[in-house]
Amino acid sequence: MTELFPDPRPTRPIWLVTLADLALLLLGFIVLVLAHQGNQRAIAAGLRDRFGGKAAPAAPATPPGAALTPDPAVLPLAAASLLDFAPASAALPDDAAPLVDWARRQARDPRVRLTVTGLTDGSPADIDPLSQSAPLLAADRARMVAARLVKAGVDGRQIAIATQISPGRRGALVTAGFAGDRQ
């Protein structure tokens, strides 16, 4: 007599199949990254195109030493901030010394670029009093921090300035990035 419900054949657990799929996906990604090792922009553009993203508009070229926008070739490594600016003011708070010391230590290496990003909180109270412009106030905050860094001995050619409206933040963010050649 035949059985209506035969014993199932021994199989592998289902989690093993999922693990194998994940391992193959990881291996494929590593191969993709290594294949484009010399050109990170090409891999970023390919992934962006494949997933339907849009490239950020290219920044206009600026003369050396007069960079007003962050350089996309700079790899950010560390950041420090100076918050608590008074609303509608670009005057530096009293506690700027730790940020200046940190930035001076970072800038000892000539391959390091500092990006000073002025922040406004986006509220109607945090705008430039004369022009009624939040981006202009953010630029003034970034310039004040950059001027303090140059006064403290940081080479002005290592500094770029940017602006950003960041809800809830009135201050400046200093990002140290590596802009040297690969070893």
Side-chain angles (χ1 to χ4, degrees), residues 22-172:
L22 288 174
L24 285 174
L25 284 171
L26 181 62
L27 177 67
F29 182 72
I30 290 171
V31 168
L32 178 72
V33 168
L34 289 176
H36 291 87
Q37 187 176 11
N39 192 353
Q40 289 87 6
R41 292 179 200 266
I43 191 170
L47 289 172
R48 188 182 318 107
D49 290 342
R50 183 68 184 140
F51 290 106
K54 294 182 182 178
T62 56
L68 296 176
T69 57
D71 185 358
V74 175
L75 176 66
L77 298 174
S81 61
L82 179 61
L83 302 176
D84 301 327
F85 276 72
S89 172
L92 291 176
D94 294 335
D95 58 348
L99 174 75
V100 172
D101 292 339
W102 175 85
R104 194 173 45 223
R105 283 192 312 273
Q106 300 298 319
R108 278 190 239 159
D109 186 344
R111 300 172 296 174
V112 169
R113 298 294 176 262
L114 300 174
T115 302
V116 182
T117 305
L119 306 172
T120 58
D121 65 10
S123 71
D126 197 31
I127 58 175
D128 181 62
L130 296 175
S131 66
Q132 302 296 306
S133 169
L136 187 59
L137 178 61
D140 286 344
R141 287 176 177 163
R143 286 182 350 172
M144 290 297 288
V145 171
R148 187 68 158 300
L149 295 178
V150 170
K151 185 177 180 182
V154 175
D155 186 359
R157 293 173 293 190
Q158 288 180 274
I159 300 174
I161 294 177
T163 62
Q164 179 179 341
I165 294 177
S166 180
R169 292 194 171 175
R170 293 184 314 269

